[in-house]
Amino acid sequence: MVLDNRYGAFIDPELTVESLGSGILDGLTFAVKDVFAVAGHSSSAGNPDWLRSHHPSTEHAVAVHRLLLSGATLRGAAHTDELMYSLGGENHHYGTPINPRAVGRIPGGSSSGSAVAVASGSVDFALGTDTGGSIRVPSSYCGVYGFRPTHGAVDFQGVIPLSPAFDTVGWVSDRLDVLQKVGEVLLVAGSTSVKTSKKIGSSLEETVGKSIEKNVLENLKNNLEGDMVKTDKNNLEKSQKESLETILEKRIEKSTEKSTEKILEIGPENKVKKNMEDKNKMGTLFVATDCWALVNLENAAILSEGLRCLRSGADHLMEIEIALEGLKVWMDVFRELQGNEIWETHGVWIENEKPVFGPDIAARFSWAASLAEEDHSVAQCKQKEISNHLRLLLGEDNCLVIPTVPGPAPLRGGDLRQLEVNRSGAMMLSCIAGLAGLPQVTLPMLSTSGLPLGLSVIAGHGQDLRLLSWVNEVWQQS
């Protein structure tokens, strides 16, 4: 059966592999981003020169094989941006898939075809990859559910890499129950746990957050009146002089101190205690005000409705500034480390094959090449600090709630400068989970004009299945 490709989701709509077994995915169909090995199929990675210079796969990627064994049937290879190095979805060689839910706007990348295949109803779910936002951004732009797992939680064997330190196998669906079922098949060892700092845990146990209705929008308005992103140019140099433990202690104390100014203390006799037996309830939802400040007030009001829904499934809600030195600093750290590793991964092939790239991708690879001889120790130190800070904060049962991207999908055909502005805005939000290797789910909502928006929940390291189960239960009740 050839798929309907009217939205241009597929580079190969005829690719079909029947299920190899029976399980919780019986009767479901899925597409794969054209970077997954499928026996007998040649993956393009979004570039004709890659397709020309690589042989067909001899076996399925591990993730594909597991889905087939669990009863799913593969239907189609979906388009991707060139070598997965974009968040826009516009491909210089193969064209741009049509966003079914925002016609005239980009679908987002690099898992553009995967998101469009689901949004158009062609398949029940689709596999993609997410390095810097390549599942989360197109899911938000196309109005579907998307999931990026904990780094390393899903086997990456048989998938063309971009930046292995950040690469993950992700997936999208139009149904939350399917998103969860796919997770139950693909997640290697289920949910793992990390210990939460006793200091943070005891502090949260004694406090309860103010409601979003009274506070968040007011704070967002105040934030928007000032600079959207504060950049401390001396922060990276200072981080070298202080021990990692000292840095973490100061950041955690400052974050907690600032947050507790906004929460209500309750007496011991009325203390809210978390029921550890109730696995379908979260402890604290942290609302990252610096992330919400990137969204205009109208869209923030829409997304706050989704936050109200999530609030019903948690003990507390607390406002926090997540990146004290500014989200741009975090984004720059991510881009530097990712870009350097991208050149380490693909530089030899590029120099040997001299592939033809679209203008934006060519500029990006040229920049990545310039990083090859630089010292990245400061960025590496900063990433470790950020990762430890987030993992301590979220622990086993806390979450961070942020907009997935700053707004609806941009119009197609924008100039390169505007594309880079859009990309930077998205990466300031998507780099958070990427730097710490955390699981993130994006939930579709609609703006007042009917355009898709995305609300994201980031959970603690290894809490993938718990996050999927919790969101499936809480969001379905809305």
Side-chain angles (χ1 to χ4, degrees), residues 36-51:
F36 285 83
V38 177
H41 172 74
S42 294
S43 295
S44 73
N47 181 272
D49 290 308
W50 184 277
L51 182 64

Side-chain angles (χ1 to χ4, degrees), residues 9 32-36 44-46 78-91 95 97 106-116 127-139 141 156 159-163 167-168 172 338 361 364 423:
V32 294
K33 182 176 183 175
D34 201 30
V35 298
F36 285 83
S44 73
H79 278 294
T80 177
D81 295 356
E82 291 186 77
L83 269 66
M84 304 74 72
Y85 203 3
S86 178
L87 293 177
E90 296 179 285
N91 190 297
I106 62 174
S110 63
S111 303
S112 55
S114 298
V116 170
L127 284 185
T129 59
D130 189 305
T131 304
S134 291
I135 280 284
R136 294 163 286 167
V137 173
S139 294
Y141 286 172
F156 207 77
V159 186
I160 300 170
L162 177 62
S163 175
D167 289 340
T168 62
V172 297
Q338 180 201 41
I361 305 297
R364 212 159 287 144
R423 174 181 166 82

Side-chain angles (χ1 to χ4, degrees), residues 99-122:
N99 187 333
R101 298 179 181 177
V103 177
R105 295 175 179 266
I106 62 174
S110 63
S111 303
S112 55
S114 298
V116 170
V118 167
S120 63
S122 296

Side-chain angles (χ1 to χ4, degrees), residues 97-264:
I98 297 171
N99 187 333
R101 298 179 181 177
V103 177
R105 295 175 179 266
I106 62 174
S110 63
S111 303
S112 55
S114 298
V116 170
V118 167
S120 63
S122 296
V123 291
D124 296 301
F125 67 95
L127 284 185
T129 59
D130 189 305
T131 304
S134 291
I135 280 284
R136 294 163 286 167
V137 173
S139 294
S140 181
Y141 286 172
C142 291
V144 296
Y145 298 100
F147 186 72
R148 170 219 160 84
T150 294
H151 183 261
V154 177
D155 199 313
F156 207 77
Q157 184 178 339
V159 186
I160 300 170
L162 177 62
S163 175
F166 302 107
D167 289 340
T168 62
V169 170
W171 53 97
V172 297
S173 180
D174 217 16
R175 291 168 46 190
L176 263 178
D177 63 323
V178 172
L179 205 74
Q180 181 179 343
K181 287 179 180 179
V182 174
E184 291 170 0
V185 170
L186 292 182
L187 289 161
V188 175
S191 180
T192 59
S193 63
V194 287
K195 292 185 178 179
T196 309
S197 161
K198 290 183 180 179
K199 182 173 182 179
I200 296 176
S202 61
S203 173
L204 298 182
E205 199 173 80
E206 296 172 358
T207 56
V208 61
K210 289 183 179 179
S211 66
I212 182 65
E213 297 95 325
K214 296 180 180 179
N215 297 289
V216 171
L217 292 181
E218 181 179 343
N219 289 334
L220 294 176
K221 183 177 180 180
N222 292 336
N223 288 341
L224 284 168
E225 289 173 353
D227 294 331
M228 286 203 306
V229 181
K230 304 171 186 176
T231 304
D232 181 358
K233 294 182 179 179
N234 296 320
N235 187 70
L236 296 183
E237 294 180 4
K238 283 182 65 179
S239 68
Q240 287 182 302
K241 298 176 183 177
E242 299 179 276
S243 69
L244 178 61
E245 291 77 10
T246 302
I247 294 168
L248 282 171
E249 187 71 15
K250 287 184 176 180
R251 288 174 59 82
I252 292 169
E253 285 181 353
K254 188 172 181 181
S255 295
T256 306
E257 183 178 283
K258 289 184 69 174
S259 299
T260 52
E261 294 174 358
K262 300 179 180 180
I263 58 181
L264 299 174

Side-chain angles (χ1 to χ4, degrees), residues 194-350:
V194 287
K195 292 185 178 179
T196 309
S197 161
K198 290 183 180 179
K199 182 173 182 179
I200 296 176
S202 61
S203 173
L204 298 182
E205 199 173 80
E206 296 172 358
T207 56
V208 61
K210 289 183 179 179
S211 66
I212 182 65
E213 297 95 325
K214 296 180 180 179
N215 297 289
V216 171
L217 292 181
E218 181 179 343
N219 289 334
L220 294 176
K221 183 177 180 180
N222 292 336
N223 288 341
L224 284 168
E225 289 173 353
D227 294 331
M228 286 203 306
V229 181
K230 304 171 186 176
T231 304
D232 181 358
K233 294 182 179 179
N234 296 320
N235 187 70
L236 296 183
E237 294 180 4
K238 283 182 65 179
S239 68
Q240 287 182 302
K241 298 176 183 177
E242 299 179 276
S243 69
L244 178 61
E245 291 77 10
T246 302
I247 294 168
L248 282 171
E249 187 71 15
K250 287 184 176 180
R251 288 174 59 82
I252 292 169
E253 285 181 353
K254 188 172 181 181
S255 295
T256 306
E257 183 178 283
K258 289 184 69 174
S259 299
T260 52
E261 294 174 358
K262 300 179 180 180
I263 58 181
L264 299 174
E265 293 286 353
I266 57 178
E269 67 281 1
N270 295 318
K271 185 183 295 184
V272 177
K273 292 182 180 293
K274 180 179 58 181
N275 180 3
M276 295 305 294
E277 299 300 318
D278 184 3
K279 295 298 182 183
N280 289 323
K281 191 145 190 176
M282 288 293 177
T284 296
L285 298 186
F286 290 103
V287 180
T289 54
D290 43 349
C291 296
W292 285 72
L294 297 176
V295 181
N296 68 38
L297 289 175
E298 181 179 334
N299 289 332
I302 297 293
L303 295 177
S304 70
E305 293 295 327
L307 180 54
R308 260 192 288 274
C309 171
L310 296 174
R311 173 68 180 91
S312 67
D315 290 327
H316 316 302
L317 182 139
M318 182 185 295
E319 295 174 15
I320 187 171
E321 184 180 355
I322 199 65
L324 298 180
E325 61 276 84
L327 287 168
K328 186 179 184 303
V329 171
W330 286 24
M331 178 189 71
D332 289 343
V333 168
F334 180 88
R335 293 178 79 168
E336 177 184 339
L337 296 178
Q338 180 201 41
N340 181 60
E341 194 174 42
I342 286 172
W343 189 253
E344 289 180 352
T345 303
H346 292 300
V348 172
W349 177 79
I350 291 172

